[in-house]
Amino acid sequence: MITPRTPSGTFELLPPEQIAFQRMLDAIRAGYERFGFLPVETPVFERSEVLLTKTGGETERQVYFVQSTGALEKARDAAGEGDAEGEEAAYPELALRFDLTVPLARYVAEHEHQLTFPFRRYQMQRVYRGERPQRGRFREFYQCDVDIIGKDELSVRHDAECPAIIHAIFTDLAIGAFTIQVNNRKLLRGFYEDLGIVDGEQQAAVLREVDKLDKRGEEYLRTTLTGEDFGLAEDVVEQILSFVQVRSTGHDDALARLAAVEAASRGSQALAEGVAELREVLTLVRALGVPEQDYRLNFSIARGLDYYTGTVYETVLDDHPEIGSICSGGRYDNLAGQYTRSRLPGVGISIGLSRLFWQLREAGILQASTARSTVQVLVPQVDAALLDDQLALASHLRHGGINTEAVLDGGKLGKQLRYADRAGIRFVAILGPQEVGEGTVTIKDLRRQDQFTVPRAEVVAALRVELAQPEV
RNA sequence: GUGGGUGUAGCUCAGCAGGUAGAGCGCCGCGUUGUGGUCGCGGAUGUCGCGGGUUCAAGUCCCGUCACUCACCCCA
């Protein structure tokens, strides 16, 4: 017999948890729509050339190729004939998407003339990465993206919308206090230019290390940056360290820190732009109603992806910093340069829901409040002879908008109640000979261990009232 | 791609000096007739990952292999 199991790096849930997961998806979708975004879905696989435009070694290492058996045979034949027609010819034609941003770029470029700009879309689908799986990291996972794409231009005002969306959604999700951390790549670039770190590669390398500050600590950073690989002077490293540890403590403090950075600058143009952008973003974030304790400047945030050019975001849970960023994103100047001549700047964020869900579960902060079952009422079979009446009651409840399961196979009532309890169904509507005789239905609340009998005509109304009651 | 760890009942694991397999949880049944969760009693379940070796004897030691897992790179 074949051992049934999922491939490593994937996960599936039992219904009670799937419900919780679905509720989170619903909340995110609702949040995105409330901010005026349109839904989009794209195929799980794309033409390989679309995904591998930036033939970076990393992407190639992580992408899953897709190939039909026919295509595979054809490729084999070609290989057999010694047809070595360059590296690219060896790739299968199709590959699984590893994020939603690249497909978005292709989508926007492809449908440019049918879309209206600024194009505001959200997309919540699974993506695939051929990584070695790790704790809370998967090879298949959900991303929930929102992006605003402009044609030619997109004012920095849109950058302020992202924190507002994050705030609304994570408030709804009710998974605890959170802080939206904001930074700006131009500011970072300017700062490092001022320090004489001009080379793009070196800047990127420094940013990557700085990103580890929270995880590895200050000493690690000091040793690394002054060490062989970087060879930075000690006073430069100290400047980096003190800069990078900046965390604003409120709105006015954030503005003051921006002013301080600007005053200390040796005149970098990029730094000045970054400061101006952040200033505008922060001001509008406040105007959009985000409480000032929920956002702050954090100069250590860089984001690994090199396509970010301006504002960058990272959101953390205040009580669980170990979880890391639960939502991140930023501004990019040219989304679809590979696919169109049009200049399409954008800004967006992404929630890695699979990882978030997993970590919330591990940390024990998944709300227990969500129901374990989608069934609201079970109609047990007290007496097989009353099947018609039982089914009529179930039908009546369903017409009343109540999710109803009717027991078809019967058995002892006790067993049926146990079934309901285990399945996480809270209410039972009992219709036995007694109830049929007097035209009533008995409603039992398994959580509160309480039951009462109502006239048949009032069942739906009574249950609606009960369903609105808290469990304890 | 680089390094560690682990593989025993559905799950979590024990089995510490090699001697014929255990616990807790879960599951099933019973505690009578229309009432679950608690409680009591009873019950089922394992090619001890796979292959080879050492030994009178291997879950236990050795080798190989596969799988899973954690961390690093990178990232959600």
Side-chain angles (χ1 to χ4, degrees):
Chain A
M1 226 195 260
I2 296 164
T3 310
R5 62 176 178 204
T6 59
S8 84
T10 63
F11 77 94
E12 55 193 11
L13 304 168
L14 294 175
E17 287 187 319
Q18 188 68 49
I19 291 168
F21 188 86
Q22 216 88 277
R23 293 286 173 268
M24 292 182 76
L25 272 177
D26 291 345
I28 295 167
R29 179 182 294 113
Y32 287 164
E33 292 195 352
R34 205 175 313 127
F35 274 81
F37 288 82
L38 304 171
V40 159
E41 287 207 358
T42 64
V44 275
F45 50 78
E46 292 274 352
R47 297 162 52 82
S48 299
E49 58 180 19
V50 168
L51 294 181
L52 295 175
T53 48
K54 295 174 280 185
T55 338
E58 278 306 321
T59 14
E60 237 170 276
R61 217 178 82 189
Q62 295 193 340
V63 82
Y64 278 108
F65 287 104
V66 180
Q67 198 163 36
S68 70
T69 312
L72 197 64
E73 280 166 6
K74 204 169 143 194
R76 251 189 227 133
D77 292 347
E81 287 160 23
D83 183 15
E85 208 182 293
E87 304 278 304
E88 286 141 47
Y91 286 138
E93 193 188 359
L94 305 171
L96 297 183
R97 61 180 171 215
F98 50 83
D99 72 6
L100 298 178
T101 306
V102 172
L104 170 66
R106 192 227 79 221
Y107 183 95
V108 173
E110 184 171 341
H111 305 293
E112 191 178 334
H113 303 295
Q114 288 124 283
L115 299 175
T116 49
F117 292 88
F119 179 55
R120 302 160 64 86
R121 86 87 175 76
Y122 74 89
Q123 183 172 0
M124 312 197 297
Q125 293 188 273
R126 294 200 242 221
V127 303
Y128 300 83
R129 286 188 199 173
E131 282 185 293
R132 192 151 288 183
Q134 260 179 73
R135 184 169 207 72
R137 292 178 55 180
F138 307 97
R139 302 199 293 179
E140 176 189 68
F141 57 94
Y142 268 91
Q143 284 198 323
C144 307
D145 280 29
V146 245
D147 291 86
I148 308 163
I149 310 299
K151 182 79 178 276
D152 301 322
E153 272 193 321
L154 185 73
S155 82
V156 74
R157 284 174 196 160
H158 295 88
D159 295 24
E161 225 174 354
C162 293
I165 297 166
I166 295 172
H167 176 260
I169 287 174
F170 283 100
T171 300
D172 276 1
L173 287 176
I175 51 175
F178 56 89
T179 302
I180 304 160
Q181 310 191 88
V182 185
N183 196 9
N184 186 296
R185 279 251 176 142
K186 289 179 190 170
L187 182 151
L188 288 178
R189 198 146 45 80
F191 174 78
Y192 289 109
E193 273 169 23
D194 275 348
L195 289 179
I197 303 169
V198 191
D199 177 59
E201 293 273 317
Q202 197 188 8
Q203 267 187 21
V206 172
L207 290 181
R208 257 203 303 282
E209 290 305 322
V210 162
D211 216 44
K212 297 174 186 167
L213 175 64
D214 290 337
K215 203 171 173 184
R216 302 276 176 80
E218 185 177 337
E219 231 9 80
Y220 165 84
L221 208 55
R222 183 174 285 120
T223 325
T224 308
L225 294 180
T226 53
E228 275 181 45
D229 293 345
F230 291 91
L232 297 176
E234 277 184 32
D235 65 308
V236 169
V237 172
E238 289 310 316
Q239 284 185 67
I240 292 175
L241 281 173
S242 63
F243 169 75
V244 129
Q245 280 168 15
V246 166
R247 309 277 187 282
S248 65
T249 55
H251 189 77
D252 293 337
D253 183 56
L255 294 181
R257 285 173 189 274
L258 284 177
V261 169
E262 194 168 33
S265 167
R266 288 172 212 165
S268 159
Q269 180 63 34
L271 186 142
E273 279 178 33
V275 168
E277 288 184 7
L278 274 176
R279 205 173 265 144
E280 183 165 7
V281 169
L282 292 176
T283 304
L284 290 181
V285 165
R286 182 158 76 165
L288 281 163
V290 181
E292 65 176 317
Q293 69 271 15
D294 289 353
Y295 62 93
R296 70 161 168 244
L297 277 179
N298 178 342
F299 288 155
S300 76
I301 295 199
R303 305 265 63 233
L305 278 7
D306 39 325
Y307 53 72
Y308 290 124
T309 52
T311 318
V312 285
Y313 319 94
E314 249 177 39
T315 303
V316 292
L317 290 177
D318 295 354
D319 299 328
H320 294 273
E322 77 281 359
I323 285 180
S325 179
I326 56 175
C327 170
S328 51
R331 155 73 74 147
Y332 36 88
D333 275 341
N334 196 4
L335 176 71
Q338 316 277 356
Y339 316 111
T340 174
R341 288 207 144 104
S342 305
R343 193 163 165 277
L344 302 168
V347 62
I349 50 171
S350 177
I351 301 173
L353 189 59
S354 301
R355 178 182 169 79
L356 175 60
F357 181 85
W358 180 270
Q359 297 198 304
L360 290 175
R361 192 171 65 165
E362 293 284 289
I365 40 183
L366 214 53
Q367 320 115 285
S369 63
T370 47
R372 287 178 50 234
S373 173
T374 51
V375 178
Q376 294 173 301
V377 188
L378 182 79
V379 182
Q381 190 176 103
V382 182
D383 183 342
L386 299 175
L387 183 63
D388 285 0
D389 299 272
Q390 181 206 351
L391 295 184
L393 172 61
S395 183
H396 177 65
L397 291 169
R398 288 171 186 143
H399 281 299
I402 295 168
N403 298 347
T404 307
E405 175 182 349
V407 175
L408 298 178
D409 284 333
K412 284 188 183 174
L413 182 60
K415 276 200 172 184
Q416 297 182 52
L417 291 178
R418 185 159 66 134
Y419 167 78
D421 190 54
R422 288 200 194 165
I425 302 169
R426 181 176 167 190
F427 292 99
V428 166
I430 302 169
L431 185 69
Q434 197 179 320
E435 285 84 0
V436 169
E438 56 191 40
T440 59
V441 173
T442 296
I443 295 172
K444 183 176 173 71
D445 181 339
L446 296 186
R447 297 297 143 66
R448 293 179 149 186
Q449 308 177 42
D450 191 23
Q451 69 179 54
F452 58 91
T453 301
V454 292
R456 171 98 188 241
E458 293 166 25
V459 188
V460 170
L463 260 171
R464 286 229 181 94
V465 171
E466 290 303 309
L467 284 165
Q469 302 292 320
E471 294 189 6
V472 188

